[in-house]
Amino acid sequence: MFPRMLLKNILSARNQRFLANSLFQYIDELLGAEHIGVFKEPKGEGTNGFLYSKGEPADLSLYPDTFWTWIAQFDTSDGLLPLKMNTCQWQYNQHMSAESYVFMLDNHPEMRIYLVAENVNPELVSSANQNNELEALQIIAARWQCVRAETEAAKEFKQRDIKEAKYLDVIKQREAFIENMKLVQQVAVGISNPANLDELYRMAVEAVRDQLGFDRAVFMLLDIKKRCFSGTYGTDEEGRTASEHHTQYDLHQLEETYIDALFEGKESLVIVEEAPLYTAGNVIGQGWNGMLILRDDQEIIGWIALDNYINRTPITTYQRQMLESFGSLLSQIYIRKRQEQNVRMLHASMVELSRCMTVSEVCKSAVTFAINRLGIDRFAVFLTDKGCTHMQGTWGTDIQGNVVDESYYRSDTIDRSIVNAARINPNDVVFEESVPIYHDFHIVGFGWTAMTMLVDNNGEPVAFIAADNLIKRSPLTHQLREVIRMFASNLTEVLLRTRAQEAIHEMNENLEREVKARTRDLQKANEQLEVMAKMDPLTRLGNRRMLEASLEELCLENDEARQHYGLILVDIDHFGLYNNHYGHMQGDIALMRIGNILQHHTQSGSEVFCRIGGEEFALLVTNQTPDRVADLAECVRKCIEGEQIPHNVNTCSQYLTVSVGYAVLELSQSEFSFDRLYCEADDSLYKAKELGRNQVSGSVHLIELA
């Protein structure tokens, strides 16, 4: 009989080691085996030992290759097989007892598992067969295979869970990345429209610190020509925004890692761990230090330096991604703003300079603009001749920064290195650092001095401009040099144009006075004739020629946009009866009074009431709404009636009245036809008379929009 407790242990087993221990115990008690082992069929190279064993069974390396072919043909249902019945020509009894048995525990084709029992008591084997006690091996083998299947399934479930966990981690990372990118986009939008570049520097520093969550940041600008970098805005030790405009450092002060990244690497973000942290060039602690490099294509603009001085928290992968994305957007914003500012500066300077009428005014305007708009401490313009033999002062800046007249200054071209450099490199900004600064031949301080020689299209000298930093001591940055160079280009153009205009003006001044004297009287006569030719002498209104002139001006316009064209026709009611009753003299007086009223109803110099018949008047209006034309027509009628000119033979009133007809058409200029407009207005006038006179009638033709 198979022990009940052993059966319970086998069926409840969840791993093969426990099963092997139970199996060894059962074989030992049932058959008295001296050595027992569980092993798998060896496949491929490598050492294959026993999975589990009791005693010291024969080493598996002693098993011949033919053994594995022979044993593979059996199944678990074949029971305990004596090795003496093997057909693989294996003399196993040289390595183990003659009474040895083998049993197939698991016939899985990828990993067959066998049981070997060596030095077994043959009498116990015979007894176990008679009592069917060896059938328990099939139960153990079945459970072994179940545990193997359960283990494999558990492994598959675990692998699935691992994959799912990794997938969830990837999703969370992606969500975090998306949120970070959204934040970067929001920050970039927030700083995308600064008033100027200086405002952009400050906004960028505060955005990195306050919105992206970094401790401290400073915006540095690189001047590759001077091999130095200068500050704009940064963060002090308490985390507050501070001006760094006064700072300037040599490139060799940077760590080698940063220098390599600037000039050899392609990466945009460099982080140095356990680095010294600085404020104003002094070490204040240790932590990570970073450089977010800003580039315009291959040109390096500068960088944002960061560290973790305040909170000392490490930088994460997500923060690195945020910074790299922000750096790319910030570079684009900087490039756009720099171009925009340069364009605005060029436009503003050209506007300011172009308003000047003389060379002196141009020079004064240039000095004023350079100080007030370009942020230069002192600026001066010196004129020179084609041979560049002398320098003539115009306008400049005194040592307090005031714009002053320096026309008193004149000297031969000074033999100084900066002047010679300017002559060798025309239209370029040459400069010297840490040199004496002069005013009226006297040294007034030390700092940088910059100079540019302006030349015309033929390369001939025109003027020199000079600048220095005597007052504010601010550094000469690459951006400022570029601004001075562009400003100098504008100044050259305006100086040449103004100088040419002055020469032309001087040549033509006398001739112009003579021409003016001769043409003045003729012009007055022509003007009088022109006015008289277009004016009705009685009413002082326009006549038909005036109306024709208005039509010609209208036709000369090139505006093809659709607009309203209106024509108002005014006809005096029963004016023939008035003349017959009161006489022609009173009729002329009435016409003059009506003309005065009509003259006060025009809105601009281009609108003129014209007398086009004995008692008929017309007004052509443009860009007036139909309601406005109707109101104007009614106002004319009402005002004439309100004048209360007696007309006892008038059939519609005791006073002199008018009938008014108007028309409004919506047309493009190419569609405009005065004949059509007149016919429409004339039909309206006819209707006003049919309605009993002293009436206003109109027609409106507009384009209806879908």
Side-chain angles (χ1 to χ4, degrees):
M1 293 291 294
F2 191 64
R4 187 182 298 269
M5 183 56 67
L6 184 59
L7 179 62
K8 180 179 179 181
N9 291 338
I10 289 173
L11 295 179
S12 62
R14 290 294 180 269
N15 63 76
Q16 293 177 337
R17 180 176 293 280
F18 184 84
L19 273 176
N21 291 337
S22 298
L23 176 59
F24 293 166
Q25 179 184 353
Y26 181 68
I27 294 296
D28 187 33
E29 293 176 354
L30 184 63
L31 305 180
E34 182 180 0
H35 307 291
I36 308 174
V38 174
F39 57 91
K40 65 179 179 179
E41 178 183 355
K43 290 187 177 181
E45 298 180 357
T47 303
N48 293 283
F50 286 93
L51 300 176
Y52 313 103
S53 63
K54 178 181 176 296
E56 296 182 1
D59 194 274
L60 292 179
S61 61
L62 302 174
Y63 287 56
D65 293 340
T66 54
F67 169 79
W68 305 110
T69 305
W70 169 74
I71 195 64
Q73 62 184 320
F74 298 102
D75 200 348
T76 55
S77 59
D78 293 328
L80 200 63
L81 303 174
L83 284 179
K84 65 178 62 176
M85 62 174 288
N86 79 84
T87 59
C88 57
Q89 307 301 318
W90 179 33
Q91 301 299 322
Y92 70 93
N93 51 5
Q94 296 179 2
H95 313 294
M96 62 184 74
S97 170
E99 295 299 330
S100 297
Y101 293 81
V102 67
F103 176 73
M104 170 86 70
L105 271 177
D106 190 348
N107 61 353
H108 193 283
E110 294 183 3
M111 189 176 65
R112 292 187 173 91
I113 304 297
Y114 303 96
L115 167 73
V116 63
E118 299 180 9
N119 198 12
V120 175
N121 188 331
E123 293 180 358
L124 293 178
V125 173
S126 177
S127 174
N129 277 325
Q130 291 178 1
N131 297 327
N132 296 322
E133 292 174 316
L134 293 179
E135 293 180 359
L137 293 177
Q138 275 78 19
I139 298 175
I140 295 174
R143 185 57 192 161
W144 184 283
Q145 296 170 25
C146 288
V147 170
R148 185 256 303 159
E150 291 171 359
T151 302
E152 291 177 351
K155 288 181 180 179
E156 291 180 0
F157 283 127
K158 186 176 182 180
Q159 290 298 321
R160 183 200 63 188
D161 292 342
I162 291 173
K163 290 181 180 179
E164 183 176 356
K166 289 182 178 179
Y167 179 70
L168 291 175
D169 286 343
V170 169
I171 291 176
K172 290 179 181 179
Q173 292 173 4
R174 186 170 299 173
E175 290 175 350
F177 175 78
I178 292 173
E179 290 302 318
N180 288 336
M181 291 304 102
K182 286 182 180 178
L183 175 60
V184 169
Q185 290 290 339
Q186 292 172 359
V187 171
V189 169
I191 67 173
S192 62
N193 193 29
N196 49 53
L197 281 177
D198 193 67
E199 180 71 7
L200 176 62
Y201 305 147
R202 183 188 61 79
M203 293 173 69
V205 167
E206 294 179 348
V208 169
R209 187 187 65 219
D210 301 334
Q211 294 176 267
L212 298 185
F214 293 91
D215 285 11
R216 302 196 312 159
V218 59
F219 200 127
M220 293 290 185
L221 294 175
L222 176 66
D223 192 335
I224 192 64
K225 191 171 184 179
K226 294 170 60 179
R227 306 292 292 180
C228 68
F229 59 97
S230 55
T232 58
Y233 289 95
T235 310
D236 62 18
E237 296 175 31
E238 285 74 37
R240 298 170 301 195
T241 302
S243 173
E244 301 282 350
H245 292 81
H246 61 283
T247 60
Q248 190 172 53
Y249 307 97
D250 292 333
L251 268 179
H252 66 75
Q253 294 179 259
L254 285 176
E255 291 187 22
E256 195 69 26
T257 303
Y258 293 146
I259 295 177
D260 292 342
L262 287 173
F263 298 103
E264 297 180 9
K266 297 296 183 181
E267 64 269 39
S268 60
L269 178 63
V270 180
I271 302 294
V272 177
E273 302 287 352
E274 299 181 359
L277 306 182
Y278 296 88
T279 292
N282 299 317
V283 177
I284 58 172
Q286 186 180 33
W288 65 258
N289 201 322
M291 172 187 278
L292 179 61
I293 303 172
L294 309 177
R295 288 186 174 91
D296 179 1
D297 195 14
Q298 299 299 321
E299 176 190 356
I300 300 172
I301 300 167
W303 63 86
I304 292 184
L306 311 98
D307 64 38
N308 65 337
Y309 171 74
I310 299 176
N311 298 310
R312 302 305 175 97
T313 54
I315 186 169
T316 66
T317 302
Y318 296 137
Q319 288 177 316
R320 291 172 183 259
Q321 293 172 342
M322 286 171 56
L323 283 173
E324 289 176 347
S325 178
F326 177 73
S328 175
L329 294 174
L330 179 58
S331 297
Q332 297 174 27
I333 295 171
Y334 174 88
I335 295 165
R336 176 177 55 79
K337 193 62 189 179
R338 182 179 64 183
Q339 294 172 343
E340 177 185 318
Q341 182 168 297
N342 290 342
V343 169
R344 286 184 177 179
M345 186 278 297
L346 288 173
H347 175 72
S349 65
M350 185 61 79
V351 170
E352 290 288 331
L353 297 175
S354 297
R355 290 172 178 168
C356 303
M357 303 303 296
T358 66
V359 170
S360 178
E361 290 176 358
V362 170
C363 295
K364 182 179 181 181
S365 178
V367 173
T368 304
F369 188 90
I371 293 172
N372 296 336
R373 301 289 292 276
L374 304 185
I376 299 174
D377 284 12
R378 299 203 315 152
F379 194 86
V381 181
F382 303 93
L383 300 178
T384 189
D385 58 352
K386 292 182 179 181
C388 201
T389 61
H390 69 276
M391 298 176 68
Q392 173 65 54
T394 59
W395 291 84
T397 318
D398 62 18
I399 58 177
Q400 286 79 34
N402 303 309
V403 178
V404 293
D405 185 353
E406 295 185 341
S407 57
Y408 61 85
Y409 178 91
R410 181 183 176 90
S411 72
D412 294 336
T413 304
I414 303 172
D415 187 15
R416 283 179 52 195
S417 58
I418 191 168
V419 177
N420 295 331
R423 296 177 66 178
I424 295 172
N425 303 282
N427 295 327
D428 194 10
V429 180
V430 298
F431 59 91
E432 292 180 346
E433 297 276 5
S434 302
V435 295
I437 296 177
Y438 291 87
H439 185 77
D440 289 347
F441 303 104
H442 300 292
I443 296 176
V444 293
F446 287 85
W448 60 258
T449 299
M451 181 171 281
T452 301
M453 185 176 75
L454 314 183
V455 297
D456 60 17
N457 295 332
N458 298 321
E460 296 180 347
V462 176
F464 288 91
I465 60 174
D468 61 49
N469 67 334
L470 175 67
I471 301 173
K472 298 177 183 176
R473 320 302 298 170
S474 56
L476 178 60
T477 63
H478 171 75
Q479 175 67 17
L480 183 57
R481 291 204 310 276
E482 183 65 15
V483 167
I484 293 175
R485 187 190 63 78
M486 291 187 292
F487 179 64
S489 176
N490 274 3
L491 179 57
T492 303
E493 181 180 343
V494 177
L495 275 177
L496 291 172
R497 185 171 66 239
T498 306
R499 191 171 66 176
Q501 289 173 349
E502 282 189 342
I504 294 173
H505 179 75
E506 186 176 353
M507 292 172 57
N508 293 335
E509 196 172 29
N510 293 332
L511 179 61
E512 187 175 340
R513 281 197 296 267
E514 292 179 5
V515 172
K516 285 182 179 178
R518 293 183 179 183
T519 59
R520 189 179 297 114
D521 295 338
L522 180 60
Q523 184 177 355
K524 289 182 179 179
N526 287 336
E527 288 176 354
Q528 291 176 356
L529 289 174
E530 182 70 18
V531 171
M532 292 176 62
K534 295 181 180 179
M535 183 175 292
D536 178 57
L538 179 62
T539 62
R540 310 303 293 175
L541 300 176
N543 55 20
R544 282 187 176 272
R545 290 190 65 185
M546 178 69 77
L547 182 61
E548 290 172 358
S550 298
L551 289 173
E552 288 179 3
E553 291 179 3
L554 186 64
C555 292
L556 289 175
E557 295 179 1
N558 294 321
D559 188 2
E560 283 300 314
R562 304 189 73 85
Q563 56 181 315
H564 296 149
Y565 297 90
L567 181 65
I568 299 175
L569 297 180
V570 179
D571 189 82
I572 303 175
D573 295 329
H574 301 300
F575 191 65
L577 296 177
Y578 184 92
N579 278 333
N580 293 336
H581 183 76
Y582 293 99
H584 287 281
M585 183 175 292
Q586 287 298 321
D588 289 346
I589 294 172
L591 287 172
M592 287 188 288
R593 293 175 67 180
I594 289 175
N596 185 55
I597 294 171
L598 295 179
Q599 197 170 37
H600 285 83
H601 281 79
T602 55
Q603 301 297 309
S604 64
S606 61
E607 292 184 1
V608 180
F609 255 110
C610 299
R611 184 182 178 191
I612 60 175
E615 64 271 13
E616 188 173 359
F617 304 87
L619 173 63
L620 179 64
V621 295
T622 58
N623 286 329
Q624 297 288 354
T625 64
D627 291 342
R628 175 73 185 88
V629 176
D631 292 343
L632 180 60
E634 174 58 25
C635 185
V636 168
R637 185 205 66 76
K638 187 175 181 181
C639 288
I640 292 175
E641 185 179 21
E643 186 72 8
Q644 296 186 353
I645 301 173
H647 190 352
N648 293 330
V649 292
N650 190 355
T651 60
C652 55
S653 173
Q654 60 181 329
Y655 301 113
L656 191 69
T657 61
V658 294
S659 297
V660 183
Y662 71 88
V664 178
L665 302 179
E666 183 181 6
L667 303 166
S668 64
Q669 194 209 358
S670 60
E671 298 171 333
F672 176 75
S673 170
F674 180 76
D675 291 341
R676 177 185 172 188
L677 187 62
Y678 183 85
C679 288
E680 293 280 350
D682 193 52
D683 289 344
S684 297
L685 178 62
Y686 182 75
K687 291 179 182 177
K689 292 180 179 181
E690 280 189 334
L691 292 172
R693 301 180 187 268
N694 194 22
Q695 301 282 334
V696 174
S697 178
S699 64
V700 178
H701 296 281
L702 303 180
I703 300 299
E704 294 185 1
L705 298 177

